[in-house]
Amino acid sequence: MGVSQSWSAMPATAERARSVLAAAWSCAVAAGGAREEFFGAHTVTDDGRVLLAPGPDSALRAAALCAPRGEPHAVLEFADVAPVPVRHRVRARLWLAGWFTPEGDRLALHPTRIVLKEPSGAVVIGLEEFAAAAPDPHVTAEAHLLTHLADAHPDAVERLTRLVGQDSLHGAVRVRPLAVDRHGLTLRIERLRGHGDVRLPFHRPADDTGQLAERMHVLLDQASAASCRRALQRQRTDRDR
């Protein structure tokens, strides 16, 4: 009997949620009837626990200390924003509901419910599944990788559209790299009205930078060997007249 592959062309939901958490620089916290924005004030442990360091003037610490112990009273929201400018740059939102307890000079969140919302819909993630998952290995490098691809190699992005079905390219005026992870590359296809996303899966997952570069070269080689697609339509502007 053959050995079945244990990977898929998409990250698991819990892995995706942990990636959103690992990449986020800011978060919004709703607690005690108030909402505060924090920037660079949280850290994440290996098991996905969030530790928040509110400032001395923050009302959150007092609200956390006065709240009934063990009862959910806080909701943390994290936004996953595409590093390359595209329409609708928020790729996902992650919510963690629970309660805070003091841990040194920080507040530790004890989650009771975790929800990831993507364009395909919202999914509730099990607490044990979330704690056991790991973020994508390229999550901290993704912004640099995508902006470099978009800014320095637009010809490569257009070449990759040869791997996209003609129906998906109909009416397209611009294609931008939207996301990359160990499983594949996602392109955002923008039209005069609306947009759509297309996934280009790798033939194997890429667990380090060298493997990721090799997987990208394989996609580009496949695109070079594919028949040419119709050139993207150009949105007419006053400069074109």
Side-chain angles (χ1 to χ4, degrees), residues 150-225:
D151 297 341
H153 302 285
D155 56 328
V157 176
E158 183 156 357
R159 195 192 325 165
L160 287 169
T161 62
R162 298 181 186 181
L163 301 177
V164 178
Q166 192 64 44
D167 290 345
S168 297
L169 288 177
H170 179 71
V173 295
R174 188 172 74 158
V175 177
R176 304 280 275 172
L178 178 71
V180 67
D181 54 59
R182 65 191 293 263
H183 300 280
L185 174 72
T186 301
L187 300 178
R188 167 65 55 84
I189 300 175
E190 297 181 348
R191 305 178 181 87
L192 289 177
R193 292 187 178 88
H195 63 270
D197 299 335
V198 173
R199 181 80 172 173
L200 302 180
F202 299 144
H203 64 282
R204 286 192 193 92
D207 294 325
D208 57 42
T209 303
Q211 291 181 359
L212 181 61
E214 187 272 338
R215 305 299 188 265
M216 288 295 298
H217 281 299
V218 168
L219 285 181
L220 288 168
D221 288 344
Q222 292 173 346
S224 296

Side-chain angles (χ1 to χ4, degrees), residues 30-119:
R35 180 181 172 90
E36 291 188 62
E37 300 276 349
F38 295 91
F39 300 91
H42 74 276
T43 57
V44 184
T45 64
D46 290 341
D47 61 356
R49 288 196 312 134
V50 177
L51 304 176
L52 187 67
D57 298 330
S58 172
L60 179 61
R61 184 179 296 276
L65 294 176
C66 295
R69 186 62 56 89
E71 294 185 11
H73 65 264
V75 176
L76 278 66
E77 178 182 342
F78 299 87
D80 175 32
V81 181
V84 174
V86 293
R87 298 175 187 167
H88 304 285
R89 290 184 70 172
V90 177
R91 301 181 296 191
R93 292 188 186 276
L94 177 67
W95 289 278
L96 288 81
W99 73 89
F100 283 114
T101 57
E103 192 167 302
D105 59 349
R106 298 178 294 183
L107 298 176
L109 181 73
H110 300 264
T112 58
R113 185 178 175 85
I114 300 172
V115 178
L116 178 69
K117 184 179 180 182
E118 297 182 288

